[in-house]
Amino acid sequence: MKFDTPRSPSTAVFGNLSNMGARVARMFRNFNLENRVYREISKEKPQAAPRHAVTAPPPLAPSSGAETEDVVHMKNDPLVNLLKSVYVESTDPAAAETSNQEAAGTESERRPLKFSLPGHSYGLVELTDVPKGKLTIAEALKALSSHQRQPQTMTPEKIAQDYVLDFKDTKALLEFFIPFQVEIIPPKTNKAKQIQASSD
């Protein structure tokens, strides 16, 4: 069963106008269609562009291949003599410095440890000395924490002197690295819940 919904008068008018517009467009599109088709068919076809003339290379004579091989393998004595007179000497300043440092690797460039953790840390053999200008992790943590606790006595100058470090590097170390600080904050009231240790 089909029910017709009532349409408003404006919907009917716009529907008729859109149908009328489509009809007009179709009339203009199909107007004089045959004449336009015949006109297009009767036009001269465009000519293709002329192809570029290609010249084939001349065939090689069998004797010219042997001559070319001889020229390639022939030794040019003047050029060989000039090449023998060329001498290149290259020096790398960075390699020279490292070799000088390795050659001068004496005991004066190392210093004994100031501080180390008890026992073998992480299963590694404990060091007895380090190069001057370097710190172990334990020494760095000790220097940072002592400076944090006593900044008046453990100044950057004193730390640099104690650990044989460059003053600029020591100042940067104390400025940009801060060791962790653990603070235990007590609860505000006595009724606050606290974690109890388990008795296992």
Side-chain angles (χ1 to χ4, degrees), residues 147-165:
H147 174 71
Q148 191 175 21
R149 279 186 265 130
Q150 303 166 345
Q152 287 81 18
T153 57
M154 293 302 289
T155 60
E157 294 87 5
K158 182 164 177 16
I159 292 173
Q161 185 180 8
D162 287 349
Y163 292 101
V164 191
L165 298 172

Side-chain angles (χ1 to χ4, degrees), residues 47-55:
Q47 291 183 347
R51 293 186 173 270
H52 183 68
V54 178
T55 56

Side-chain angles (χ1 to χ4, degrees), residues 153-184:
T153 57
M154 293 302 289
T155 60
E157 294 87 5
K158 182 164 177 16
I159 292 173
Q161 185 180 8
D162 287 349
Y163 292 101
V164 191
L165 298 172
D166 185 31
F167 176 69
K168 186 174 79 172
D169 295 339
T170 308
K171 196 171 180 182
L173 174 77
L174 296 175
E175 182 180 350
F176 295 113
F177 291 93
I178 300 170
F180 288 113
Q181 238 180 351
V182 178
E183 291 186 16
I184 300 173

Side-chain angles (χ1 to χ4, degrees), residues 2-200:
K2 189 174 181 184
F3 295 104
D4 288 335
T5 57
R7 290 199 283 172
S8 66
S10 62
T11 308
V13 170
F14 285 124
N16 289 339
L17 285 178
S18 66
N19 287 340
M20 199 162 84
R23 285 185 194 142
V24 171
R26 196 176 312 118
M27 281 176 33
F28 278 115
R29 190 176 60 228
N30 294 336
F31 174 73
N32 205 5
L33 183 65
E34 287 184 28
N35 288 342
R36 286 186 286 154
V37 169
Y38 284 127
R39 197 177 320 134
E40 285 296 322
I41 291 173
S42 64
K43 282 184 182 176
E44 284 190 34
K45 304 292 182 278
Q47 291 183 347
R51 293 186 173 270
H52 183 68
V54 178
T55 56
L60 295 174
S63 62
S64 67
E67 290 174 7
T68 307
E69 282 185 29
D70 291 341
V71 169
V72 168
H73 294 295
M74 187 175 68
K75 194 184 250 187
N76 192 338
D77 290 329
L79 291 178
V80 171
N81 290 336
L82 287 173
L83 187 60
K84 285 180 182 176
S85 66
V86 173
Y87 178 72
V88 178
E89 183 177 334
S90 175
T91 56
D92 185 10
E97 285 179 17
T98 55
S99 63
N100 290 342
Q101 288 176 354
E102 288 173 3
T106 59
E107 292 296 322
S108 63
E109 292 183 357
R110 297 187 73 84
R111 65 165 178 82
L113 285 179
K114 293 279 184 186
F115 177 77
S116 64
L117 295 173
H120 298 297
S121 56
Y122 306 112
L124 300 174
V125 177
E126 187 63 34
L127 296 173
T128 57
D129 59 350
V130 291
K132 289 185 178 180
K134 306 285 182 183
L135 288 173
T136 62
I137 293 175
E139 286 178 330
L141 290 174
K142 176 75 173 173
L144 287 170
S145 63
S146 62
H147 174 71
Q148 191 175 21
R149 279 186 265 130
Q150 303 166 345
Q152 287 81 18
T153 57
M154 293 302 289
T155 60
E157 294 87 5
K158 182 164 177 16
I159 292 173
Q161 185 180 8
D162 287 349
Y163 292 101
V164 191
L165 298 172
D166 185 31
F167 176 69
K168 186 174 79 172
D169 295 339
T170 308
K171 196 171 180 182
L173 174 77
L174 296 175
E175 182 180 350
F176 295 113
F177 291 93
I178 300 170
F180 288 113
Q181 238 180 351
V182 178
E183 291 186 16
I184 300 173
I185 302 171
K188 292 181 181 178
T189 63
N190 292 337
K191 295 180 181 179
K193 291 183 180 179
Q194 293 184 356
I195 299 173
Q196 301 295 326
S198 61
S199 57
D200 287 340

